[in-house]
Amino acid sequence: MASQTLQSVPAEGTPGRQEISAAEAARHEAEGQAYFDRVMAEDSRIEPRDWMPAAYRKTLIRQISQHAHSEIIGMQPEANWISRAPSLKRKAILMAKVQDEAGHGLYLYSAAETLGQPRDQMMQDLMDGKAKYSSIFNYPARTWADMGAIGWMVDGAAIANQVPLCRASFGPYGRAMVRVCKEESFHQRQGFEILLELSHGTPEQKQMAQEAVNRWYAPALMMFGPPDDDSPNSKQSMAWNIKRFSNDELRSRFVGMMMEQVKVLELTLPDKDIRFNEETKKWEHGPLDWDEFHEVLKGRGPCNAQRLERRREAHENGTWVREAAAAYARKQAKKEFAA
Amino acid sequence: MSTTPETENTTEMHDGGHGDISVGVATAGTSGDANASATRITPGNALRPEDIALAVSRGTAKPSEDAAEFALRLGDDALVLAQRLGHWISRAPELEEDVALGNIALDQLGHARSFLSYAGGLNGKSEDDLAYFRGEEEFRSVELFEQPNGDFAVTIARQFVVSYYQFELYRRLTESTDATLAGIAAKAVKEVDYHRDHSTQWVLRLALGTDESRAKMIHGFKVIWPYVDELFRDDELTARLTAAGAAVEPSSLRTDFDRLTGEVLAEAELDVPQVPAASGGGRQGKHSEHLGYLLAEMQVLARQFPGASW
């Protein structure tokens, strides 16, 4: 463990902060950097009030807020089926799942706020199209079987990505991910169960399941991000102990996992090139359409406009409610002060 | 890999039943417990819809014809409201409300499933048979529950009325001579207590927040209040059930409802809306124009694949 005594960078507004001379500031910076480097070397954790490089902070704000946005936008394709879920039990599970995603968004926004970025600002960046979210949520959920495919493949890929993030060097992010992963693993199981029920149901149900798997397979694989030789931020994130495995490594593990599980489903993956490479001991898959990935990322996917508009609409319709709550809180505080 | 979802956190799952349903009745409290969790399964006094369906199929719980009709009424109320509230998830004014309204919807859906599972016990129907394969006129919900969400103030006004009504009803039903109704009510009353708290907090905030929110809250109550009277109407069924000690007359809830809602409205500096009551008729299957659309959407997929398992 790195010593905890070196993390004493005075917070904003602390008496004495203004009087720090340039020389002292430089010394603080050097000590902070030394502490940070030691934490990285020892694979320990950075906490919100610790010194950290500006680029580390910026990278984390970007990654955590994108992750939060993905949870929030990701509510939409599944919320699309809450009203039509074909049994009351499925309706209850789906409601609980989409509700969990709102909860994940909340933990993640809170984790990002510890880095100094207010939630309102992150939300505004999302609505202004300045912030990204996972491209997969720009695809439509056309049939009930998509609820299964999203749970099994999309949440499955998310877990493969996120389990290593539980060890991320930034404390609040890692801790948020522990809870998120627990819930995601439940989501993945419920998706698998939906597909299992469909694939063992009527021929029409089985076909619905197969078509959903076919549609979500490639977008799910692309959730791991571009191939390693085209992933500019990965190297730095790995040096900072935020990212633990490369995109291609995680993708390969995920393919292996799906190959096992798809047999139980008695369905197939729409990729004839999947194989286990005995030499590298890794799973390989067929080529992915990265042009499509970049197109969707740039906003030219099937649902980009719809998703953002829905978020804006909810936010704008709620403005008067948030204002009322804030006004009420101010009035109450004033009353208490007077009393 | 060692961290595949299939092996992660299996201890988090609760897949065991809670045994005989009478357990739920014996240990349940008779009023809301401020420390109870609305979502956590509390072994001993949590009665799940699956437990009721099991008891019904084993023949250990069988409703009388009257109890079944009564359970259908309460189940339909809760189901229709859950369907309405579910629409807010991903559309709420802030994320905390996506979670809160989602939770209330889930609670209502849970109550609906329990009541419908019990009602179906009369003639071998499942909760899904009743939810998905009955027509509009076969539903027994009162009109309040099917009222459209409107804006957030309308939704809150509806929820405020519903939660105070349901709290008074379920609180009394915990004493029902029908053990299953009492068991369902014992679980539900704790959850509905949270719904009262939630809607009260919002009534105060909206009524005393800004001029705009106050105008909207007043409008919300005006839109909802015509459907209040129907909640408290007695009929032959409730008279028979009351005589048997299985239920209470709806009209007997009114004094407490008026007093408790009146206290909140007074604190919110609002008057009870003076609006004519709608004639109603939901308990006899005469609904407003809204229910048909709600059911059409809810039932469409299930009806596309009759007999299918999901």
Side-chain angles (χ1 to χ4, degrees):
Chain A
M1 279 292 281
S3 157
Q4 297 296 308
T5 55
L6 265 172
Q7 51 182 296
S8 54
V9 179
E12 214 74 53
T14 313
R17 188 179 171 92
Q18 297 86 337
E19 293 99 70
I20 291 174
S21 69
E24 274 176 304
R27 191 172 54 80
H28 268 284
E29 193 83 352
E31 282 176 4
Q33 181 73 55
Y35 174 75
F36 181 85
D37 291 344
R38 217 161 67 238
V39 168
M40 291 301 130
E42 293 176 6
D43 201 357
S44 185
R45 276 200 155 143
I46 289 292
E47 296 298 336
R49 299 187 65 171
D50 292 346
W51 186 94
M52 63 185 86
Y56 176 83
R57 184 184 299 275
K58 196 176 159 202
T59 294
L60 279 166
I61 290 174
R62 181 180 55 85
Q63 179 168 340
I64 300 172
S65 65
Q66 278 183 15
H67 192 161
H69 299 330
S70 302
E71 297 282 357
I72 299 311
I73 297 293
M75 292 168 73
Q76 293 184 26
E78 291 176 291
N80 185 41
W81 282 93
I82 288 175
S83 65
R84 292 175 291 167
S87 76
L88 297 187
K89 184 182 164 194
R90 291 283 173 217
K91 189 192 289 287
I93 294 170
L94 188 60
M95 271 188 192
K97 178 179 193 280
V98 182
Q99 188 202 28
D100 280 352
E101 282 153 10
H104 297 175
L106 278 172
Y107 319 141
L108 289 161
Y109 284 128
S110 300
E113 282 191 305
T114 68
L115 292 158
Q117 183 80 328
R119 199 214 292 185
D120 288 349
Q121 183 60 51
M122 292 185 264
M123 198 55 94
Q124 197 58 50
D125 288 347
L126 170 65
M127 290 184 296
D128 292 346
K130 285 186 201 157
K132 297 265 185 282
Y133 54 87
S134 184
S135 260
I136 192 124
F137 300 116
N138 290 316
Y139 291 88
R142 292 205 177 96
T143 70
W144 172 253
D146 290 34
M147 299 302 97
I150 290 175
W152 180 49
M153 302 168 102
V154 177
D155 294 332
I159 293 165
N161 245 332
Q162 290 168 9
V163 165
L165 288 175
C166 296
R167 295 190 287 127
S169 57
F170 185 59
Y173 191 30
R175 288 188 289 271
M177 293 317 298
V178 171
R179 180 157 178 188
V180 169
C181 284
K182 281 184 187 177
E183 295 181 349
E184 290 294 348
S185 84
F186 168 71
H187 296 174
Q188 203 252 3
R189 272 196 293 265
Q190 68 85 37
F192 183 83
E193 197 190 80
I194 288 174
L195 290 177
L196 190 67
E197 195 79 39
L198 293 175
S199 69
H200 292 75
T202 66
E204 291 84 1
Q205 283 179 305
K206 181 163 186 173
Q207 190 188 344
M208 194 197 284
Q210 183 63 60
E211 285 171 2
V213 168
N214 293 350
R215 270 184 283 124
W216 290 94
Y217 169 77
L221 288 198
M222 290 194 273
M223 282 175 71
F224 293 93
D228 293 346
D229 50 18
D230 186 29
S231 180
N233 299 324
S234 285
K235 204 175 160 204
Q236 180 62 70
S237 283
M238 287 174 88
W240 278 333
N241 297 338
I242 300 171
K243 197 173 170 65
R244 300 285 176 170
F245 303 100
S246 78
N247 295 351
D248 287 334
E249 169 68 26
L250 290 170
R251 192 166 12 244
S252 158
R253 290 180 184 195
F254 177 63
V255 169
M257 189 184 86
M258 284 206 299
M259 275 305 277
E260 281 306 307
Q261 297 180 359
V262 79
K263 288 182 212 155
V264 182
L265 291 175
E266 296 178 26
L267 296 172
T268 56
L269 296 176
D271 183 346
K272 292 193 170 36
D273 298 328
I274 295 178
R275 66 178 195 114
F276 186 72
N277 185 324
E278 289 293 346
E279 275 171 40
T280 60
K281 302 287 176 201
K282 286 190 194 309
W283 284 92
E284 293 173 355
H285 56 83
L288 294 166
D289 184 355
W290 291 105
D291 289 341
E292 179 184 306
F293 177 81
H294 289 295
E295 281 295 290
V296 178
L297 206 59
K298 282 177 198 151
R300 290 188 282 268
C303 301
N304 299 57
Q306 179 193 330
R307 300 287 187 238
L308 276 187
E309 182 52 26
R310 163 87 160 272
R311 181 88 299 272
R312 276 187 216 111
E313 200 185 352
H315 191 77
E316 283 163 17
N317 288 343
T319 302
W320 68 271
V321 178
R322 295 189 301 275
E323 285 171 358
Y328 180 81
R330 277 195 302 275
K331 287 178 191 173
Q332 290 301 105
K334 217 171 161 183
K335 253 195 222 168
E336 272 167 38
F337 186 71
Chain B
M1 70 196 265
S2 62
T3 49
T4 58
E6 287 303 290
T7 57
E8 275 277 299
N9 304 308
T10 47
T11 52
E12 292 294 307
M13 296 295 287
H14 298 272
D15 46 13
H18 298 289
D20 189 287
I21 62 168
S22 63
V23 173
V25 184
T27 57
T30 52
S31 69
D33 170 1
N35 296 314
S37 163
T39 51
R40 193 179 304 138
I41 293 172
T42 5
N45 65 7
L47 189 57
R48 303 175 313 156
E50 287 83 359
D51 298 327
I52 294 169
L54 197 66
V56 161
S57 72
R58 283 178 179 161
T60 52
K62 175 134 178 122
S64 66
E65 207 166 305
D66 282 351
E69 178 69 12
F70 189 64
L72 199 61
R73 291 179 175 189
L74 305 190
D76 285 348
D77 285 349
L79 175 59
V80 168
L81 183 60
Q83 184 74 4
R84 282 287 185 230
L85 289 172
H87 186 78
W88 277 106
I89 304 173
S90 76
R91 294 180 176 88
E94 52 190 349
L95 288 175
E96 286 81 351
E97 277 307 300
D98 281 294
V99 175
L101 291 171
N103 230 38
I104 296 171
L106 268 170
D107 288 343
Q108 292 287 334
L109 184 55
H111 309 162
R113 294 181 60 205
S114 292
F115 282 125
L116 294 181
S117 294
Y118 188 45
L122 182 69
N123 43 22
K125 287 191 188 302
S126 69
E127 57 180 40
D128 289 335
D129 293 336
L130 292 173
Y132 291 96
F133 295 95
R134 277 183 303 153
E136 204 175 327
E137 292 179 359
E138 293 168 279
F139 270 74
R140 291 289 174 264
S141 45
V142 290
E143 291 186 1
L144 174 67
F145 294 86
E146 69 213 38
Q147 294 309 305
N149 286 341
D151 63 16
F152 186 68
V154 173
T155 288
I156 289 300
R158 186 183 62 200
Q159 201 59 45
F160 179 74
V161 171
V162 165
S163 60
Y164 276 84
Y165 157 74
Q166 286 182 332
F167 184 81
E168 293 307 318
L169 175 61
Y170 294 156
R171 189 164 69 82
R172 288 163 176 80
L173 285 182
T174 59
E175 315 267 344
S176 172
T177 51
D178 183 308
T180 307
L181 289 179
I184 298 169
K187 179 171 193 286
V189 73
K190 294 181 186 172
E191 297 175 348
V192 168
D193 198 14
Y194 281 98
H195 307 174
R196 290 199 309 176
D197 185 36
H198 172 265
S199 58
T200 295
Q201 299 288 338
W202 274 116
V203 167
L204 294 174
R205 276 158 182 73
L206 298 184
L208 304 174
T210 63
D211 290 345
E212 184 186 10
S213 69
R214 181 168 181 81
K216 284 183 156 56
M217 192 67 252
I218 290 169
H219 172 258
F221 275 123
K222 206 173 145 193
V223 168
I224 288 303
W225 218 263
Y227 308 99
V228 171
D229 272 9
E230 191 186 4
L231 295 170
F232 302 101
R233 279 185 203 150
D234 305 335
D235 60 15
E236 289 174 8
L237 177 76
T238 58
R240 285 196 304 273
L241 287 165
T242 303
V248 292
E249 288 285 22
S251 61
S252 70
L253 313 174
R254 187 75 198 238
T255 310
D256 283 341
F257 173 88
D258 284 344
R259 180 173 54 80
L260 293 168
T261 53
E263 283 170 12
V264 177
L265 293 178
E267 194 183 339
E269 298 167 22
L270 296 174
D271 296 321
V272 175
Q274 297 302 315
V275 288
S279 55
R283 298 294 188 220
Q284 287 75 47
K286 292 176 198 141
H287 296 282
S288 68
E289 292 172 344
H290 304 299
L291 187 65
Y293 294 93
L294 181 145
L295 295 182
E297 186 174 346
M298 185 177 83
Q299 296 175 336
V300 62
L301 179 58
R303 289 188 174 211
Q304 210 179 328
F305 297 87
S309 169
W310 301 95

